[in-house]
Amino acid sequence: MKKILVSIFVLVFSLSTAIAEITIKWRLADGVSVSQMYIYAWITNGTTVTEPCGAWKGELVRANSDGWYSKTFTQTPTGFIFNNGSGTQTSNLSSSSDACYSIKANFDVVILNCETGESDDDGDYNPGDSSSSIDDVMLQGFAWNSFSSTDTGGSTKWTELTNQATEIGRYFDMIWLPPSSAAEGGGSRNMGYHPRAWSSQNSSWGTSSELITLINSLHSNNCRVIADIVVNHRAGATWNTFVADNYGTGYTSYQLTYQHICKDDEAVSKGYQVGDNYDYNWNVSGDLWGGYAAARDLDHSSDYVRNAIKEYMKYLKNEFGYDGWRYDMTKGYDPQYAKEYTEAAGGYFAVGEYWSGTTSRLSAWVTAAGKTVSTFDFPNKYAINSWNGGSNYSALVSGNKPKGLIQDTEMRKYAVTFVDNHDTHPPHDNPQQYTGDISKAYAYLLSNPGIPCVFWVHWVNNKQDIKNMISARKSVGLNASSTVLITNTNGYYESQGTGDYGELICRIGDFSSVSSPQGYNLACSGNGWAYYTKVTSTSLLNTHIKNTLEIYPNPVNDELRIMNYELTGNDNVQIFDITGKLIHHLSSNISLGFTNSNSINVSSLQTGVYFIKIGKFTGKFTKK
């Protein structure tokens, strides 16, 4: 059941072409293995591109006895690719001397200190990394009881999601799946939030083999998969005993016992023996959290408990291919442990459910977790509820910014925004549900900073509007860190967002008497909402954005638009297929060629996934 790591790690950075020797060293994360590794590099001098280690797919390099791979170049490469299969991930890295990297997971590369092997980053593990999740839109791929086709939104069992993987991958960068471990009660109607056996991945959602098929399908459609990690509590075999976790060859088995249950757990009142440590109550301005009555509260101060959790997450990543983590009920344990788990497991992205309507408490939790884990923006959610699609647009505003954690310039990149989730939506009878117009709510959400998370039921019932909004958001590079100012709440709502290479104006309500904003195009609209966009940066001078090609639309039918590069007939443009085979050198006098200053006609390509390289810039696109 070992998952084969099949990813291309693309590292592109802007360096002046100079005669300077440089040694590139890299290593794999613990528990990750591949059969062979290639390095492909290129040096750009004007319009001339030199490939110093051979043509694609590069030069085969063997690991040294210490586990490090290395390659010395007599000239500094413009860019290079670590290659052992298919797929792509771009990192915004640069160096002028020896460069050391660690491939921590399928899609995560960090700079290391060559001598110590320690990370040289600033501690912003992934949420703050402009080369990773900051540009993403996430889908919550389930609702309550959505393992049943009779429930709202249709079935999201693993087999059903697999059938929809292509469509999901076209619009979402990440999908958050429900807890996949065997849970208390068993059977076919169990959400999984009372896990019984972490080492068993047969659940109400499907079998372990169906889960692997789903994750592989999502990966092949360029969508990363986030696991729902329920480690605050665990269901017992009895009141104070647990099922042992045996993950198989290459893993450590763990047997939790009564000693790993918190001292103030409900088991005590039933006369059962428990451990010696009280449940952790993290105090942030009076925000105390007690125990969880429905299952046994685990003692995270125990090294044994934490090691068991890390082994579980390692198993999920290595055997099933999960790319990141959604931590359930994080008020139940110290945020330093969320940091510890995230750093130990690796992965592309992590977000915690710290349920609080106070922005200062969310900010404090993210900071205490070392900014390795984002958090759901409940204050923004409550602002959406307060507005509820009506005419009181001031409910959405704090000063001239959207309410919530996303109003904080430094913290908004750690905010995951949402309209509803499995806990705030029926069948739960609670006041947290948004009951207004769904498309208007997403017009607000997808035009704001933070990482938007689209709820499954809303997606199913409002697909076209949400698709259009996501496409418009991507077209101007609006992301988790973007500046968005609210410019009107009198009679209708208007905001103006500044993305990496364009601007987006959102209007909601009755704006029929207001003229369209000058210099903008109507990107999309619906009943009571509209998006207007303007692309402002398409030049190579804007290399501060990313040294990767921003492609729109993606997937593409005919015209592939390059958002941050002005194409000319003199450009050396190459297109590779998914295997790395060079398909085309582009020029203006062939059928597959330039159509205007920033578009390429790719209508002659067959359906599939392709890589495009223009000088030192790279990108990936899907041809419909």
Side-chain angles (χ1 to χ4, degrees):
M1 200 162 60
K2 274 283 185 186
K3 178 182 70 68
I4 300 175
L5 183 67
V6 285
S7 304
I8 295 175
F9 298 89
V10 183
L11 295 100
V12 188
F13 48 85
S14 177
L15 294 171
S16 59
T17 303
I19 304 220
E21 185 174 286
I22 180 172
T23 298
I24 309 298
K25 298 178 66 179
W26 70 97
R27 69 184 185 191
L28 302 173
D30 293 341
V32 176
S33 63
V34 296
S35 59
Q36 54 193 11
M37 288 289 287
Y38 295 84
I39 187 168
Y40 170 75
W42 62 95
I43 299 171
T44 304
N45 184 6
T47 59
T48 302
V49 177
T50 304
E51 299 171 310
C53 53
W56 184 264
K57 57 185 175 182
E59 179 181 329
L60 179 63
V61 182
R62 302 290 184 185
N64 300 321
S65 59
D66 60 1
W68 283 88
Y69 298 80
S70 66
K71 171 67 179 176
T72 299
F73 297 93
T74 57
Q75 296 184 63
T76 300
T78 304
F80 48 86
I81 297 172
F82 298 146
N83 171 25
N84 67 297
S86 60
T88 184
Q89 174 59 32
T90 303
S91 294
N92 206 8
L93 305 176
S94 62
S95 178
S96 58
S97 58
D98 283 5
C100 297
Y101 305 100
S102 175
I103 302 172
K104 299 181 70 174
N106 296 30
F107 301 98
D108 181 32
V109 183
V110 295
I111 302 175
L112 293 178
N113 181 298
C114 292
E115 295 180 358
T116 66
E118 296 178 353
S119 173
D120 286 341
D121 63 20
D122 61 1
D124 289 359
Y125 179 66
N126 257 320
D129 179 358
S130 62
S131 68
S132 60
S133 57
I134 196 168
D135 297 309
D136 288 0
V137 178
M138 180 162 60
L139 173 67
Q140 181 177 358
F142 65 100
W144 197 266
N145 289 344
S146 64
F147 39 69
S148 170
S149 61
T150 61
D151 290 312
T152 304
S155 172
T156 60
K157 292 176 78 75
W158 303 148
T159 53
E160 294 297 328
L161 287 179
T162 299
N163 293 335
Q164 301 175 63
T166 299
E167 182 180 34
I168 291 169
R170 286 177 182 171
Y171 294 94
F172 296 99
D173 308 279
M174 299 185 285
I175 181 172
W176 156 27
L177 296 185
S180 56
S181 298
E184 185 176 38
S188 61
R189 296 188 64 83
N190 191 302
M191 283 294 294
Y193 283 102
H194 295 174
R196 183 183 292 279
W198 289 333
S199 58
S200 172
Q201 295 298 300
N202 295 313
S203 67
S204 297
W205 308 98
T207 66
S208 60
S209 60
E210 289 169 344
L211 176 59
I212 291 172
T213 298
L214 167 62
I215 292 176
N216 287 340
S217 296
L218 289 163
H219 283 169
S220 68
N221 285 282
N222 206 29
C223 183
R224 296 180 177 87
V225 185
I226 307 302
D228 202 321
I229 302 299
V230 185
V231 294
N232 170 75
H233 52 267
R234 182 161 167 173
T238 64
W239 270 88
N240 70 340
T241 63
F242 298 96
V243 175
D245 285 313
N246 185 344
Y247 300 103
T249 304
Y251 295 92
T252 302
S253 298
Y254 284 88
Q255 173 65 72
L256 300 181
T257 70
Y258 72 87
Q259 294 174 325
H260 304 122
I261 301 174
C262 293
K263 189 173 183 177
D264 50 352
D265 189 86
E266 298 76 20
V268 175
S269 64
K270 301 293 183 179
Y272 293 95
Q273 190 174 7
V274 297
D276 298 327
N277 297 318
Y278 285 99
D279 196 11
Y280 186 80
N281 291 322
W282 193 56
N283 189 340
V284 182
S285 303
D287 193 4
L288 292 174
W289 187 259
Y292 182 67
R296 306 289 68 76
D297 298 331
L298 296 180
D299 175 17
H300 289 251
S301 68
S302 163
D303 291 342
Y304 190 87
V305 169
R306 296 201 309 280
N307 287 336
I309 291 170
K310 286 183 276 189
E311 195 74 358
Y312 163 50
M313 294 172 68
K314 173 184 173 183
Y315 174 68
L316 289 183
K317 187 180 76 171
N318 291 350
E319 303 300 327
F320 294 87
Y322 279 113
D323 302 296
W325 322 104
R326 181 264 182 187
Y327 295 106
D328 180 66
M329 199 173 174
T330 59
K331 284 188 178 181
Y333 49 94
D334 194 311
Q336 68 172 315
Y337 299 141
K339 177 179 186 292
E340 181 179 333
Y341 302 145
T342 302
E343 291 182 330
Y348 174 75
F349 179 71
V351 58
E353 182 202 29
Y354 188 84
W355 198 321
S356 173
T358 305
T359 56
S360 61
R361 294 173 184 173
L362 294 179
S363 178
W365 187 88
V366 170
T367 301
K371 296 181 179 178
T372 62
V373 187
S374 292
T375 191
F376 289 100
D377 195 343
F378 280 94
N380 180 258
K381 151 68 175 169
Y382 291 150
I384 294 173
N385 281 7
S386 180
W387 163 58
N388 207 37
S391 59
N392 181 22
Y393 302 109
S394 61
L396 298 169
V397 183
S398 178
N400 63 347
K401 296 180 180 179
K403 278 187 178 178
L405 191 62
I406 56 173
Q407 74 189 63
D408 187 319
T409 302
E410 297 301 319
M411 298 304 298
R412 59 194 178 201
K413 62 187 176 184
Y414 304 108
V416 175
T417 57
F418 64 104
V419 176
D420 269 316
N421 63 27
H422 62 292
D423 284 324
T424 68
H425 192 269
H428 299 294
D429 183 16
N430 58 49
Q432 281 90 18
Q433 184 194 2
Y434 171 82
T435 59
D437 183 279
I438 298 300
S439 291
K440 288 181 180 178
Y442 280 97
Y444 172 78
L445 195 83
L446 289 164
S447 60
N448 275 329
I451 296 176
C453 183
V454 177
F455 182 48
W456 177 258
V457 177
H458 298 162
W459 163 246
V460 168
N461 295 320
N462 304 270
K463 279 188 180 180
Q464 195 56 57
D465 281 353
I466 292 174
K467 287 177 179 180
N468 292 341
M469 293 173 196
I470 292 174
S471 296
R473 176 185 178 92
K474 296 277 189 178
S475 74
V476 298
L478 197 71
N479 60 43
S481 246
S482 294
T483 297
V484 175
L485 300 178
I486 296 173
T487 54
N488 188 78
T489 58
N490 185 17
Y492 67 96
Y493 171 92
E494 181 178 285
S495 68
Q496 181 170 347
T498 303
D500 281 341
Y501 29 86
E503 297 175 0
L504 186 151
I505 288 178
C506 168
R507 287 178 178 173
I508 303 172
D510 184 6
F511 48 87
S512 57
S513 62
V514 184
S515 59
S516 298
Q518 188 173 2
Y520 289 78
N521 295 315
L522 177 63
C524 53
S525 62
N527 184 20
W529 67 272
Y531 276 6
Y532 305 87
T533 58
K534 174 173 65 175
V535 175
T536 58
S537 299
T538 58
S539 171
L540 266 175
L541 297 176
N542 295 288
T543 55
H544 64 281
I545 298 171
K546 284 184 182 181
N547 289 332
T548 57
L549 296 175
E550 296 296 338
I551 297 167
Y552 176 80
N554 194 3
V556 59
N557 277 322
D558 301 314
E559 297 297 322
L560 183 70
R561 186 175 185 183
I562 309 301
M563 304 301 298
N564 61 328
Y565 195 110
E566 286 189 2
L567 295 165
T568 71
N570 296 322
D571 281 311
N572 181 32
V573 181
Q574 297 171 299
I575 290 184
F576 303 86
D577 67 13
I578 193 69
T579 69
K581 179 182 178 181
L582 180 63
I583 302 298
H584 287 287
H585 272 106
L586 299 186
S587 65
S588 59
N589 61 356
I590 59 176
S591 61
L592 182 69
F594 305 117
T595 57
N596 56 50
S597 62
N598 68 333
S599 294
I600 297 173
N601 186 330
V602 295
S603 59
S604 63
L605 291 179
Q606 295 181 353
T607 299
V609 177
Y610 296 89
F611 304 99
I612 182 170
K613 183 158 79 75
I614 308 177
K616 64 183 176 225
F617 281 60
T618 63
K620 178 182 177 182
F621 67 93
T622 300
K623 172 66 169 62
K624 293 182 182 179

